[in-house]
Amino acid sequence: MHELALLIAAGIASGTPLLLAGLGLLLNERAGVVNLGAEGLMLIAAVTGFGLAFYTGQTWLALLGGAAAAALFSALLGWMVVYLNTNQYASGLALSLFGAGISAFVGAALVGKKLEINQNQGLPFLADLPFVGPALFQQHPMVYLAVALCLGMVLFLYHSKSGRLLRGIGESPASAHALGFPVRRIRWISVVVGGSFCGLAGAYLSVVYAPLWVEGMVAGRGWIALALTVFATWRPWRVLVGAYLFGSVTMLQLHLQAIGIEIPTQFMSMLPYLATILVLALISRNPSWIRANMPASLGKPFHPG
């Protein structure tokens, strides 16, 4: 039972950056914008957050700094795809490549350095409960903040006027524009806010989850988060379930080795990506179901008439 509790805890910790990035990308796509730059944004935030944490010793300042750095580059991406009507897919890919390059350049002096973090995390009293304590309640506060943000996203999208407007823009921006709503401004704001979520995910990786900087340490999580939005059919609570599922698959390799089951590490390292491909292949078998759930204007530029 103790091993199972540790696996659950590790899966939650590993799935948290996927949850944060997935929520950010979901917000972008609900407004009709595809952001393929998540990987680059997470790398920029990871090196920014680690640098701030290393030189200031302030964890929360580092997390906020990473989110702010990602939001800044998201604002540039949003300006390009929303106001200049550049191709969303090409612009996002360019941002991913730029993020990989600039993070490697800026982080060259930080390679090999580590952070001293407080290991005494968790919720008082609840952390001491048998099984559920180590499984659920001994996490960093960012884990619980991510869950709270997921709940907030549900309330925003489905129980607020602004959220319904955002979803309406994702379905028919021309109709929203005809009613007098600033479609471009709302789309741009959604790109910036969604990018800050990706930034929180990247900073969490380098400051909390693995408190060190290694070039390319995001390791494809931005792409998995992008697939996660499709897996979740653009619903926040399904993003949460999918993120923890993928996180658990990622950590399974370590726990199988710990209990003496010998499986080639290369195969186990492929598991999260194989799971991603399998899920997308299964979902793609029913295109009409995807179209029924996908925002109708996703990836399409809007030209106010």
Side-chain angles (χ1 to χ4, degrees), residues 66-193:
L72 178 64
F73 283 95
S74 296
L76 176 61
L77 175 67
W79 175 68
M80 291 171 58
V81 302
V82 174
Y83 289 99
L84 300 184
N85 292 314
T86 60
N87 185 279
Q88 295 183 16
Y89 301 96
S91 299
L93 286 173
L95 179 57
S96 272
L97 295 172
F98 174 79
I102 194 67
S103 64
F105 175 75
V106 172
L110 298 172
V111 174
K113 294 179 170 58
K114 295 183 179 181
L115 300 177
E116 296 294 331
I117 62 172
N118 178 18
Q119 299 294 338
N120 296 321
Q121 305 289 350
L123 300 177
F125 307 112
L126 294 176
D128 298 324
L129 294 173
F131 186 76
V132 294
L136 302 177
F137 300 121
Q138 294 182 7
Q139 303 282 355
H140 188 274
M142 268 301 301
V143 173
Y144 307 114
L145 177 60
V147 176
L149 288 173
C150 181
L151 176 60
M153 187 77 74
V154 172
L155 295 175
F156 169 73
L157 288 175
Y158 299 101
H159 301 282
S160 73
K161 180 179 178 181
S162 299
R164 287 190 288 269
L165 172 60
L166 182 74
R167 290 193 291 124
I169 288 174
E171 295 298 332
S172 178
S175 299
H177 177 70
L179 292 172
F181 294 108
V183 172
R184 284 184 163 185
R185 188 192 312 163
I186 293 172
R187 277 190 162 183
W188 181 81
I189 291 173
S190 76
V191 172
V192 174
V193 176

